[in-house]
């Protein structure tokens, strides 16, 4: 098969040898492709060439190559079908096979495919969720080791505290699930299995790029659908590229861009040269991808999200600086309220305070925030009370406060607080580093190291079982198989 802008099986196969794909034989891949086309696409030949012959070649169309490969990988490695999967749950040994597809998707999807997939499913949120499960596993391992090794160091019963906090989380989840039950019946708030969003993304792009003849053969559209005419430059650019690599028989007046799309030929490298075309296959692929990237950036803009992660020292410093600014803004409010209590405000000033709800609300909100602020488990409350005491005594003695005085008192107390927070943060960093260092644990706790290894493996199995349960429930839901191509 001569090279067109589409990709042959050999070109995408393992080591480009044309023998295997993702470790599966050509025969297995062919059977899987037929099953995909019949199950998800109503028999439409999305993976096959432009004929209906028995030996129709497998091709991967450039516009959706990455998505077609990703879907094929998901189906070939489907742990719900192989003998290792259980009727009552997924083997945890297969969980990594599923979650690895996220990495594959990020590495192999083109820009426009990623753009559309993100519209159907926030793949980065999925990756973040998998990472959270891993973090959960690590944190659980740490707390179990600490519960055992620090048992004699504390008068408090941390086992009881741990049980209570776990129960509080369970209660919160039960209430939350109950309150959202009207929504949960209709839609999953989160999804981990990529098959459904991949199918939706393929459908969206395919409906823009292709149509199907009476034999279910996939044919390319010569122009974008009418709804994209609003993007004039993109519309014209797409038509120009199609005009280079796709030959369709003229139908009537060529001036009006009328062609018989059913009689179309994908020009190969040799045919392009014979027509005097300077652009090669690779240039056409790049230009088409760029046009589609522009199109789908317009249609499906990606919303930037900020994911939560552990506080670094830099983060702590920035938050403490913000807290210092808020403290300086709070002190004048406190002084005004304190003068009110001491009867040192004029009648007009008292009337302003009592009739100004926004002032009272701001005072209460700022004080509550500062009073309940804490970093590394160290509360700021005693520092706030100390500062309030200093200014309260000054006001009682009629000592005026200035901006300079506010700065001095704030700086001294915030520095004391920061030193304590930094020391506690460093202690935590060292302790967590030790808990994650098996060589250190083996040296420090040689007498119980086998138990520590067992806890680590149990937590690993626990995390995999959590992911396995989520994936199995999503598969049993059956929503993936309800997706069909629509034109």
């Amino acid at each position: 098969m001569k090279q067109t802008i589409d990709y042959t099986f050999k070109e995408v196969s393992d080591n480009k040898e044309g023998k295997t794909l993702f470790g599966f034989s050509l025969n297995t891949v062919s059977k899987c492709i037929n099953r995909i086309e019949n199950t998800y696409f109503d028999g439409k030949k999305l993976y096959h060439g432009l004929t209906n012959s028995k030996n129709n070649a497998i091709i991967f169309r450039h516009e959706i190559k990455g998505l077609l490969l990703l879907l094929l990988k998901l189906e070939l490695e489907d742990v719900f079908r192989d003998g290792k999967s259980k009727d009552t749950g997924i083997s945890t040994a297969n969980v990594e096979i599923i979650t690895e597809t996220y990495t594959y998707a990020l590495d192999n999807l083109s820009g426009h495919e990623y753009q559309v997939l993100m519209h159907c499913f926030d793949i980065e949120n999925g990756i973040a969720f998998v990472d959270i499960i891993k973090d959960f596993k690590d944190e659980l391992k740490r707390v179990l080791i600490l519960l055992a090794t620090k048992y004699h160091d504390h008068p408090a019963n941390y086992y009881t505290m741990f049980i209570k906090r776990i129960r509080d989380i369970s209660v919160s989840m039960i209430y939350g699930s109950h309150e959202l039950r009207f929504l949960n019946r209709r839609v999953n708030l989160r999804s981990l299995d990529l098959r459904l969003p991949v199918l939706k993304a393929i459908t969206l792009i395919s409906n823009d790029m292709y149509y199907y003849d009476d034999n279910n053969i996939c044919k390319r559209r010569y122009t974008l659908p009418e709804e994209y005419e609003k993007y004039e430059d993109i519309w014209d650019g797409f038509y120009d590229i199609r005009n280079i690599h796709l030959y369709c028989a003229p139908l009537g007046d060529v001036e009006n861009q009328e062609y018989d799309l059913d009689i179309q030929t994908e020009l190969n490298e040799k045919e392009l040269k014979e027509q005097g075309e300077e652009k090669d296959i690779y240039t056409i692929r790049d230009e088409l991808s760029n046009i589609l990237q522009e199109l789908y950036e317009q249609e499906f803009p990606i919303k930037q999200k900020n994911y939560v992660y552990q506080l670094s020292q830099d983060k702590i410093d920035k938050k403490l600086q913000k807290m210092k600014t808020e403290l300086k803004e709070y002190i004048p409010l406190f002084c005004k309220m304190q003068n009110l209590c001491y009867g040192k405000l004029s009648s007009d000033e008292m009337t302003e305070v009592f009739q100004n709800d926004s002032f009272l609300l701001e005072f209460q909100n700022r004080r509550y925030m500062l009073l309940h602020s804490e970093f590394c488990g160290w509360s700021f409350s005693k520092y706030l009370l100390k500062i309030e005491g200093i200014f309260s005594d000054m006001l009682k003695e009629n000592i005026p406060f200035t901006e300079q005085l506010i700065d001095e008192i704030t700086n001294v107390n915030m520095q004391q607080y920061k030193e304590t927070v930094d020391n506690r943060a460093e202690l935590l960093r060292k302790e967590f580093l030790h808990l994650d260092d098996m060589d250190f644990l083996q040296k420090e706790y040689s007498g119980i190291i086998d138990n520590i290894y067992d806890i680590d493996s149990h937590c690993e199995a626990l995390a995999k079982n959590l992911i396995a349960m989520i994936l199995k429930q999503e598969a049993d839901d059956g929503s993936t198989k309800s997706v069909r191509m629509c034109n």
Side-chain angles (χ1 to χ4, degrees), residues 214-252:
D214 294 338
N215 295 313
N216 277 335
I217 300 300
C218 179
K219 301 291 183 72
R220 278 190 163 92
R221 297 185 186 275
Y222 214 78
T223 61
L224 289 170
E226 292 181 0
E227 60 263 32
Y228 297 132
E229 287 187 17
K230 57 189 176 183
Y231 308 126
E232 185 175 349
D233 291 342
I234 295 174
W235 175 279
D236 292 341
F238 181 85
Y239 172 76
D240 290 342
I241 294 171
R242 279 284 190 261
N243 210 26
I244 293 173
H245 77 91
L246 182 64
Y247 172 78
C248 295
L251 183 65

Side-chain angles (χ1 to χ4, degrees), residues 27-37 71-72 75-76 81:
N27 184 51
T28 300
V29 172
S30 297
K31 289 180 179 178
C32 186
I33 284 174
N34 291 333
R35 185 175 70 245
I36 289 173
E37 290 177 338
L71 178 59
L72 190 53
E75 290 293 305
L76 284 167
R81 284 199 190 91

Side-chain angles (χ1 to χ4, degrees), residues 83-95:
K84 297 177 183 178
S85 183
K86 299 175 282 189
D87 292 337
T88 53
I90 304 175
S91 169
T92 56
N94 289 324
V95 170

Side-chain angles (χ1 to χ4, degrees), residues 256-431:
N256 294 324
Q257 300 179 358
E258 293 182 359
Y259 303 92
D260 187 346
L261 295 182
D262 284 339
I263 306 177
Q264 61 178 240
T265 303
E266 295 285 345
L267 298 183
N268 59 42
E269 190 79 38
K270 181 180 178 181
E271 290 167 333
L272 286 171
K273 290 181 180 179
E274 289 175 350
Q275 291 196 6
E277 179 57 53
E278 295 180 358
K279 296 179 180 178
D280 59 18
I281 292 298
Y282 306 100
T283 302
I284 295 171
R285 284 177 178 173
D286 289 341
E287 290 184 357
L288 179 57
S289 293
N290 291 337
I291 285 291
L292 296 181
Q293 179 72 20
E294 290 181 44
L295 172 66
Y296 292 119
E297 282 179 352
Q298 294 290 333
E299 284 295 292
F300 308 124
I302 297 175
K303 297 179 180 178
Q304 298 296 324
K305 293 188 177 181
N306 296 318
Y307 295 104
V308 178
Y309 50 93
Q310 284 187 335
L311 284 176
S312 63
Q313 184 62 48
D314 184 53
K315 283 274 186 179
I316 291 176
D317 290 343
K318 287 181 179 179
K319 287 186 174 290
L320 287 176
Q321 186 60 42
K322 182 174 181 290
M323 185 178 173
K324 183 177 179 180
T325 301
E326 291 169 346
L327 177 60
K328 289 181 179 180
E329 293 173 351
Y330 163 74
I331 291 174
L333 301 178
F334 169 80
C335 290
K336 192 169 188 177
M337 286 296 294
Q338 201 66 14
N339 276 330
L340 174 66
C341 296
Y342 290 150
K344 295 186 177 183
L345 292 183
S346 66
S347 298
D348 291 341
E349 288 175 323
M350 291 176 63
T351 301
E352 181 186 355
V353 170
F354 284 121
Q355 292 184 351
N356 189 352
D357 291 338
S358 62
F359 171 82
L360 296 174
L361 186 62
E362 183 181 5
F363 168 77
Q364 292 170 349
N365 287 342
R366 285 182 179 274
R367 188 174 195 275
Y368 181 88
M369 185 278 296
L370 291 167
L371 196 62
H372 294 275
S373 291
E374 68 171 44
F375 289 91
C376 301
W378 192 247
S379 173
F380 186 69
S381 58
K382 70 174 185 178
Y383 297 88
L384 178 64
L385 295 176
K386 177 183 175 182
I387 293 170
E388 288 179 337
I390 293 172
F391 281 99
S392 180
D393 291 341
M394 288 173 53
L395 295 171
K396 188 183 296 183
E397 299 297 327
N398 294 319
I399 301 173
F401 66 90
T402 62
E403 289 290 337
Q404 182 180 356
L405 190 58
I406 291 177
D407 286 343
E408 290 175 359
I409 294 174
T410 299
N411 291 340
V412 169
N413 284 273
M414 283 301 300
Q415 182 60 33
Q416 292 174 355
Y417 181 67
K418 184 179 185 305
E419 288 174 0
T420 302
V421 169
D422 286 346
N423 290 335
R424 292 169 70 88
E426 182 61 23
L427 174 66
L428 289 178
R429 275 192 288 270
K430 286 182 179 179
E431 192 69 33

Side-chain angles (χ1 to χ4, degrees), residues 96-111:
E96 289 184 5
I97 294 175
I98 298 175
T99 55
E100 188 267 337
T101 55
Y102 282 91
T103 303
Y104 179 86
L106 289 177
D107 292 342
N108 293 275
L109 294 184
S110 63

